[in-house]
């Protein structure tokens, strides 16, 4: 099926630092999403993005979070500053209608 | 409030048997229900999906049965294979490109 790529696969940072997670969505997809999965739990929606704008965000999408996709490049999730509870696997998805997920970025905040 | 529930939490079947994974939901605005298969260390892969206008969707060994009145659905995996061993997530969405709400998953083990 369609491939969504995520870079990096793992990221370890100190609490308070900034981190940017990168997503390379399927080329003709127009809708983009970030989900968060804590080990052993279900995935939870963070935000979706279309036409350069955030369409909807959840309570998990804190003020320290931001998303953008400048000039059709990577769709990014930036966390600044990071907190211990941000440690999780973050999945990017893109869709024409059905959502296709990337392999995830495992973020560890120390 | 957990809007999508899955049962059982884990399931073990023998190779060749039919595995039945259950899902229920609360929000009547949900009209799209994909199932995702996830292997350890990987992202969820879309397996099969159904829209609420249908009561059954079949794709090879995978079939979704949907009961709108009871807000329940199930995934049947016939002729289960060891390679089907994975965690299966039921999800629900409210329309085109809407966010998905996931269940906690069913971990399936297929023994040979």
């Amino acid at each position: 099926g369609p491939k969504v790529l995520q870079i990096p696969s793992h990221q370890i940072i100190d609490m308070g630092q900034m981190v940017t997670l990168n997503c390379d969505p399927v080329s003709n997809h127009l809708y983009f999403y970030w989900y968060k999965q804590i080990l052993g739990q279900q995935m939870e929606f963070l935000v979706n993005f279309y036409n350069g704008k955030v369409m909807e965000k959840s309570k998990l999408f804190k003020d320290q979070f931001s998303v953008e996709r400048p000039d059709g490049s990577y769709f990014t999730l930036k966390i600044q500053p990071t907190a211990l509870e941000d440690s999780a696997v973050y999945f990017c998805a893109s869709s024409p209608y059905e959502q296709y997920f990337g392999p995830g970025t495992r973020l560890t905040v120390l | 409030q957990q809007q999508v529930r899955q049962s059982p939490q884990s399931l073990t079947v023998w190779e060749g048997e039919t595995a039945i994974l259950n899902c229920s939901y609360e929000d009547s605005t949900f009209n799209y229900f994909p199932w995702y298969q996830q292997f350890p260390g990987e992202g969820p892969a879309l397996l099969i999906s159904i829209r609420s206008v249908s009561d059954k969707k079949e794709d090879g060994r995978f079939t979704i049965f949907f009961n709108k009145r009871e807000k329940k659905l199930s995934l049947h995996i016939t002729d289960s294979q060891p390679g089907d061993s994975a965690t299966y997530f039921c999800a629900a969405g409210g329309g085109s490109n809407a966010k998905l709400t996931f269940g906690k998953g069913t971990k399936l083990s297929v023994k040979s």
Side-chain angles (χ1 to χ4, degrees), chain A residues 31 33 35 37 40-43 45 48 56 91 95-104, chain B residues 2 31-32 36 38 41-44 46 49 51 89 95-100 102-104:
Chain A
Y31 292 83
Y33 313 77
Y35 290 81
Q37 186 179 40
Q41 306 279 334
Q42 74 266 41
M43 264 194 301
F45 169 79
N48 58 4
E56 184 178 1
F91 290 98
S95 76
Y97 182 86
E98 298 189 318
Q99 294 180 33
Y100 294 89
F101 286 79
Chain B
Q2 188 180 346
N31 57 22
Y32 167 66
Y36 286 86
Q38 186 177 31
E42 297 183 9
L46 181 63
S49 64
R51 301 186 190 184
F89 290 98
S96 296
N97 301 299
K99 67 180 181 183
L100 293 176
F102 283 81
K104 291 189 173 183

Side-chain angles (χ1 to χ4, degrees), chain A residues 2-110:
Chain A
K3 294 290 187 184
V4 175
L5 305 177
Q6 290 188 243
I7 302 164
S9 57
H10 294 85
Q11 181 86 50
I12 301 174
I13 59 171
D14 291 323
M15 182 176 61
Q17 285 189 313
M18 181 194 76
V19 67
T20 300
L21 308 184
N22 298 295
C23 172
D24 188 7
V26 179
S27 60
N28 60 344
H29 289 183
L30 299 178
Y31 292 83
F32 313 114
Y33 313 77
W34 284 102
Y35 290 81
K36 177 181 180 181
Q37 186 179 40
I38 294 174
L39 186 64
Q41 306 279 334
Q42 74 266 41
M43 264 194 301
E44 294 187 273
F45 169 79
L46 287 175
V47 64
N48 58 4
F49 189 86
Y50 170 74
N51 198 26
K53 299 175 187 174
V54 169
M55 303 299 292
E56 184 178 1
K57 56 186 179 181
S58 73
K59 291 182 295 185
L60 296 178
F61 193 79
K62 304 180 296 183
D63 291 343
Q64 299 90 322
F65 288 29
S66 63
V67 291
E68 64 175 356
R69 192 186 187 210
D71 299 324
S73 60
Y74 288 145
F75 175 51
T76 63
L77 173 65
K78 183 184 293 185
I79 309 174
Q80 181 179 26
T82 51
L84 295 176
E85 61 265 26
D86 296 331
S87 294
V89 180
Y90 290 84
F91 290 98
C92 170
S94 69
S95 76
Y97 182 86
E98 298 189 318
Q99 294 180 33
Y100 294 89
F101 286 79
T105 292
R106 181 176 298 278
L107 176 65
T108 301
V109 181
L110 303 176

